[in-house]
Each structure stands twice: as structure tokens, then as C-alpha cells.
């Protein structure tokens, strides 16, 4: 008999996510990838005619848990600005039946930030003290939530162009996220002497230039799903040690990597390592003789692993 999948709405997902250890779920996922217990195909871009938008489909298999999943996310061009939603479907590898349909909005925010946190923990200098965050939206705030206890941060500086338009209540809410947090007046001020710089924007083009940094730093980037979006100048990859979430798929989708390969002589084989490498200790923590760049495109498996954890909670 066909089964009807269990449906989790966005408010339910938010409530359930608070009950699971998101970074730990992702660490296990990347170790499973390293051990061949998970499968992550390249993401699939399906463009609408006449530039009206696209769907990005992220697929994955978690063999140990017996689930196949797909996250599908539309980018719908509208006059009032693009509309982006996302849903994750889980299916049983034993019965072939759908198990779960979950609004992936909360999953996406949590897994994006927690994946960066896993990378920061694996890559940042152990004595890192100065953290900078570029961006102030939900994703930026989630980044702060997941990294705030990973190092003994002495200062946390945040900058976003949108801060100028925020009312005092919104600014106070931001400042209340952590007692060490200060709001910078400019991007340059925020990243001054930073050990770790987390780029958490929806910008389609560069927001910082690593060449202006006063010392080598770890720069993490998530970007957005606008075509070829990137948060650092593509040519800067040639001057940094480059890591990513999954080296099999990230270079084929990350905007700065595509452009750097086509126009600036960068080679994807120069990627030092990915999260499966780092978490299985095939690759060591980098020396900071030059800046380190970590690029995450967001893997379907991350959403699928979190959706599966929420599904198990409900059983």
C-alpha cells in the first residue's frame, strides 16, 4: 500500500531542531561520506525559460539510515524581489515509499550555519580570538549561535549594510545575541585584525577582498543561489589555501571557483581538502602563512540528515 509522508511545517521544524545536536549530526554525515556510507551527487540546476528563475535540486543517500532524499529549492524572479522556498522529501530505501515531506527553510538556515561551524572548528587557529561576521539576517545570526563557543573569542564584530536602516529595537536585539558582539560602522572596520571572517550574505558579488587583510585569516563563504554568486573576488583563490564542504561537487557549482577556473588559471585540484577529509583526519589543520578560504555550497545530504533526525524524533 502506498504511504502518505509525514509533513513537517516550518514552525514544527524550528521546534524540533532545538531538540537535536545539529553540528554533531553534520559531523557524522561527513564522516559517513569519507567512509563511503553516504552518496552526494552534484546538485542539479533546472532553469526556467526567459530567465524567470530556476529550481536547484540537491540529492543524497544515507545508507546506514536507509533513506534517500531530495531537497528542491526554487528561485522565482518577481518584480518585488526573488522568492526562494525549499522542501525536503525523504524516501525509504527498503520500501521505496515516501517517509517525510519537510519545509526546509529552517533546515537550510541551521545546516548552512552549522556546516560553517564544523569548518571553523576544524580549520580556525586554536588560539583564534577575533571573529568578524558580515551579514545580519537569520543565517548570519545562526552562524553566531553555532560558533560562539568554539573558540575563546575576545571580540565579535558584525557589519551589514542593512544596519543603517534598522530601528533601535532591531539593533538592540542583534547586540543581545552575545555580550561580546559589537556592530561595526563599515566592513573594513569589522574585519580589522580578524582571525576568522564569516561571510553570511545574499550578495551575488564580492563583499570583501582578502588581499587587504592585515594578517592571514580564515574566511568562510556560503553565498546565495543567484547565478554564479560569490562573496570574494574569484582571482583571490590563487592566493589562498582553499577548502570546501565536498570537493566532488562544490567546484562545479561555486561561482568564484567556476570564474577563477575559466578566467584566472585556478585549478580545482588545488583544493587542499574538504570536510570529509578534515573530519576523517586525512587532511591536517592548515598553517596560517596565508589566508584560508572555506566554501560551502550546501549539500542535499545536510538537509537530508537533519530531516531524517527530525523524522526519527517523531517516530
Amino acid at each position: 500500500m502506498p504511504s502518505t509522508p509525514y509533513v513537517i511545517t516550518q514552525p514544527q521544524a524550528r521546534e524540533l531542531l532545538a531538540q537535536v545536536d545539529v553540528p554533531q549530526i553534520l559531523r557524522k554525515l561527513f564522516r559517513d561520506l569519507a567512509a563511503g556510507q553516504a552518496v552526494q551527487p552534484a546538485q542539479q540546476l533546472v532553469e526556467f525559460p526567459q530567465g524567470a528563475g530556476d529550481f536547484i535540486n540537491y540529492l543524497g543517500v544515507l545508507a546506514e539510515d536507509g533513506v534517500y532524499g531530495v531537497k528542491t529549492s526554487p528561485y522565482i524572479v518577481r518584480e518585488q524581489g526573488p522568492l526562494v522556498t525549499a522542501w525536503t522529501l525523504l524516501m525509504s530505501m527498503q520500501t521505496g515509499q515516501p517517509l517525510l515531506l519537510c519545509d526546509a527553510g529552517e533546515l537550510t538556515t541551521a545546516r548552512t550555519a552549522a556546516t560553517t561551524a564544523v569548518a571553523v572548528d576544524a580549520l580556525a587557529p586554536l588560539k583564534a580570538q577575533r571573529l568578524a561576521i558580515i551579514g545580519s539576517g537569520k543565517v548570519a545570526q545562526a552562524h553566531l549561535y553555532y560558533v560562539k563557543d568554539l573558540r575563546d573569542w575576545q571580540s565579535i564584530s558584525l557589519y551589514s549594510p542593512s544596519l543603517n536602516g534598522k530601528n533601535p529595537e532591531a539593533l538592540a536585539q542583534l547586540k543581545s545575541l552575545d555580550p561580546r558582539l559589537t556592530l561595526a560602522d563599515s566592513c573594513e572596520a569589522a574585519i580589522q585584525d580578524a582571525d576568522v571572517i564569516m561571510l553570511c550574505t545574499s550578495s551575488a558579488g564580492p563583499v570583501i577582498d582578502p588581499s587587504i587583510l592585515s594578517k592571514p585569516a580564515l574566511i568562510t563563504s556560503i553565498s546565495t543561489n543567484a547565478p554564479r554568486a560569490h562573496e570574494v573576488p574569484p582571482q583571490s583563490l590563487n592566493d589562498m589555501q582553499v577548502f570546501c564542504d565536498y570537493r566532488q561537487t562544490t567546484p562545479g557549482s561555486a561561482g568564484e571557483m567556476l570564474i577563477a577556473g575559466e578566467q584566472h588559471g585556478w585549478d580545482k585540484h588545488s583544493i587542499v581538502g574538504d570536510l570529509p577529509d578534515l573530519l576523517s583526519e586525512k587532511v591536517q589543520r592548515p598553517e596560517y602563512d596565508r589566508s584560508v578560504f572555506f566554501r560551502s555550497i550546501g549539500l542535499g545530504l545536510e538537509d537530508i540528515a537533519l530531516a531524517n533526525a527530525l523524522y526519527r524524533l517523531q517516530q
Side-chain angles (χ1 to χ4, degrees):
M1 287 288 291
S3 64
T4 302
Y6 186 82
V7 177
I8 295 180
T9 63
Q10 191 161 2
Q12 287 173 295
R14 186 182 304 125
E15 188 179 313
L16 292 168
L17 276 169
Q19 300 172 45
V20 298
D21 185 338
V22 176
Q24 202 51 40
I25 290 166
L26 295 179
R27 286 189 183 96
K28 181 185 184 304
L29 159 65
F30 288 112
R31 290 191 185 107
D32 284 352
L33 262 178
Q37 288 297 308
V39 179
Q40 175 60 76
Q43 66 184 43
Q44 175 198 47
L45 174 66
V46 182
E47 297 187 76
F48 298 166
Q50 284 85 51
D54 59 58
F55 265 85
I56 297 182
N57 300 316
Y58 310 77
L59 317 172
V61 171
L62 294 173
E64 216 174 79
D65 293 293
V67 295
Y68 159 82
V70 56
K71 174 196 175 181
T72 187
S73 177
Y75 180 85
I76 299 169
V77 176
R78 307 179 302 171
E79 276 184 25
Q80 64 270 46
L83 173 69
V84 180
T85 71
W87 287 82
T88 298
L89 173 68
L90 286 190
M91 295 186 70
S92 167
M93 290 166 62
Q94 280 80 45
T95 67
Q97 295 298 322
L99 302 172
L100 174 75
L101 183 62
C102 180
D103 185 305
E106 296 294 326
L107 300 186
T108 303
T109 300
R111 63 91 165 142
T112 300
T115 297
T116 298
V118 169
V120 168
D121 203 22
L123 290 169
L126 295 175
K127 294 184 177 178
Q129 294 187 327
R130 300 175 70 85
L131 174 65
I133 303 170
I134 307 302
S136 61
K138 277 179 60 178
V139 174
Q141 293 179 38
H143 271 69
L144 173 58
Y145 174 78
Y146 286 114
V147 305
K148 63 184 179 182
D149 298 322
L150 293 181
R151 294 292 185 273
D152 182 20
W153 307 116
Q154 299 301 302
S155 71
I156 301 173
S157 187
L158 182 146
Y159 173 75
S160 168
S162 66
L163 291 180
N164 294 330
K166 287 197 189 305
N167 61 43
E169 292 80 9
L171 294 174
Q173 187 272 325
L174 266 179
K175 288 179 183 173
S176 72
L177 294 174
D178 192 283
R180 298 162 293 183
L181 180 66
T182 58
L183 304 182
D185 294 329
S186 68
C187 185
E188 292 72 24
I191 64 176
Q192 179 71 29
D193 293 330
D195 297 304
V196 176
I197 302 166
M198 300 193 301
L199 306 179
C200 313
T201 77
S202 56
S203 174
V207 290
I208 72 161
D209 182 353
S211 70
I212 69 163
L213 298 178
S214 59
K215 65 179 185 183
L218 169 62
I219 301 164
T220 70
S221 173
I222 55 169
S223 202
T224 183
N225 61 349
R228 297 203 162 200
H230 51 282
E231 293 178 298
V232 298
Q235 62 270 27
S236 68
L237 268 56
N238 287 318
D239 301 317
M240 296 190 286
Q241 304 170 75
V242 178
F243 292 79
C244 65
D245 44 3
Y246 192 45
R247 66 162 88 224
Q248 306 299 326
T249 60
T250 303
S253 298
E256 73 288 339
M257 291 185 178
L258 291 169
I259 298 167
E262 291 166 8
Q263 300 176 19
H264 303 288
W266 181 78
D267 184 351
K268 67 181 181 181
H269 296 104
S270 67
I271 292 173
V272 181
D274 58 11
L275 287 177
D277 290 333
L278 287 160
L279 292 177
S280 60
E281 299 184 342
K282 289 179 187 167
V283 170
Q284 299 308 305
R285 192 182 303 275
E287 299 289 332
Y288 276 81
D289 54 322
R290 55 198 172 117
S291 285
V292 174
F293 180 67
F294 172 79
R295 177 63 147 96
S296 168
I297 58 167
L299 304 180
L301 270 177
E302 295 164 7
D303 293 86
I304 291 159
L306 288 191
N308 183 55
L310 302 195
Y311 177 70
R312 304 287 170 199
L313 262 186
Q314 293 299 94
Q315 295 309 295

